[in-house]
Amino acid sequence: EKYLNKSDFIKDLYSIRISLYGTDEDQYEKTVRKKNQFKLIKNNIANLIRFKNKNNLKTSIGLNYIILDGRSGDMLKLLDFVKDINDLVGNKKNNIDFITLREDFRSTTNLRIKHDERLELVKIIKKFQKRVNNESCFEGIFVDYGYSLEPIKNGLVDHVYEDVFADEKILLKEGTPNTSVAIDLYGDVYCYRE
């Protein structure tokens, strides 16, 4: 809270996205390797929301969560986390504006969500979205599933996202480069990572 009061720039932010590294104390400790961080994070988020409300800020506050292989069911615990934050804030409404969910894209496809779990994830996402749509404590929350989870949300589980990329054989035959581009506010396009 002291930091929030000293930091004028917070009042100018459009949004704040907070990455979560687990949905309970045990997971959080395994990830960040420090004890009692989960409760601290939960309290800090509640304090941030109170600061936002007290100062009538328009800043959107959201959570980012990466779904790890073998941990798809944790998505539902994420909603319990949001509910707990709302209870801590104590204003009897939803205070989280958005949730971004992502599949884990670490270094290799061995770590990606397996096909059987992807099938299970379709059911979990339906339960997740049903709670978001029907429980008043989540009113107004926007869930962004990203380009990898959106097809799973819609029941399409046959391929992982990497299957749509050209492989070396296709690149050598057709000469199609893989590049990344960025478009600035003026509409200028910049190429990077050729």
Side-chain angles (χ1 to χ4, degrees):
E1 197 170 339
K2 291 176 195 173
Y3 178 78
L4 292 172
N5 288 320
K6 289 191 305 185
S7 305
D8 281 347
F9 73 89
I10 290 176
K11 296 174 182 173
D12 297 325
L13 295 177
Y14 176 76
S15 69
I16 298 173
R17 181 186 326 235
I18 301 149
S19 292
L20 292 179
Y21 301 109
T23 53
D24 61 34
E25 190 67 56
D26 185 52
Q27 286 178 11
Y28 223 86
E29 184 180 336
K30 286 177 184 173
T31 304
V32 300
R33 307 231 192 277
K34 290 184 179 179
K35 292 181 183 247
N36 304 318
Q37 296 302 296
F38 184 72
K39 185 177 179 181
L40 177 68
I41 293 298
K42 192 185 291 188
N43 287 329
N44 283 348
I45 294 170
N47 287 335
L48 174 64
I49 292 166
R50 285 188 204 104
F51 178 84
K52 171 190 169 180
N53 294 342
K54 178 181 167 187
N55 292 284
N56 295 316
L57 303 180
K58 301 290 183 211
T59 308
S60 296
I61 297 175
L63 303 174
N64 184 63
Y65 188 74
I66 296 174
I67 301 168
L68 300 175
D69 184 32
R71 306 267 290 276
S72 298
D74 292 345
M75 277 180 61
L76 299 172
K77 293 178 185 176
L78 183 60
L79 290 177
D80 296 332
F81 180 80
V82 170
K83 190 173 183 312
D84 289 348
I85 288 173
N86 289 332
D87 291 343
L88 278 172
V89 172
N91 59 359
K92 301 196 184 304
K93 68 172 196 161
N94 174 45
N95 297 282
I96 299 295
D97 299 298
F98 62 90
I99 296 175
T100 55
L101 295 168
R102 298 295 183 260
E103 184 176 352
D104 185 13
F105 282 107
R106 287 185 279 180
S107 56
T108 68
T109 56
N110 301 1
L111 300 172
R112 297 291 307 283
I113 296 174
K114 310 288 185 286
H115 187 267
D116 290 345
E117 188 172 357
R118 294 166 80 79
L119 290 170
E120 185 62 27
L121 192 52
V122 172
K123 297 173 194 169
I124 292 168
I125 289 174
K126 283 185 183 184
K127 287 179 188 174
F128 183 92
Q129 196 61 51
K130 184 177 180 181
R131 283 189 67 190
V132 168
N133 293 343
N134 296 326
E135 295 181 32
S136 62
C137 60
F138 306 120
E139 186 175 335
I141 200 166
F142 173 75
V143 181
D144 175 0
Y145 291 95
Y147 57 80
S148 179
L149 294 173
E150 187 69 30
I152 295 172
K153 175 185 162 212
N154 297 320
L156 304 170
V157 295
D158 291 339
H159 299 287
V160 293
Y161 183 73
E162 296 88 61
D163 289 349
V164 302
F165 292 115
D167 61 15
E168 184 179 356
K169 191 164 64 173
I170 291 171
L171 286 174
L172 292 174
K173 180 180 172 191
E174 298 182 17
T176 309
N178 283 329
T179 62
S180 296
V181 296
I183 303 172
D184 69 14
L185 295 173
Y186 300 105
D188 296 325
V189 179
Y190 298 94
C191 175
Y192 63 100
R193 282 195 301 223
E194 297 180 53

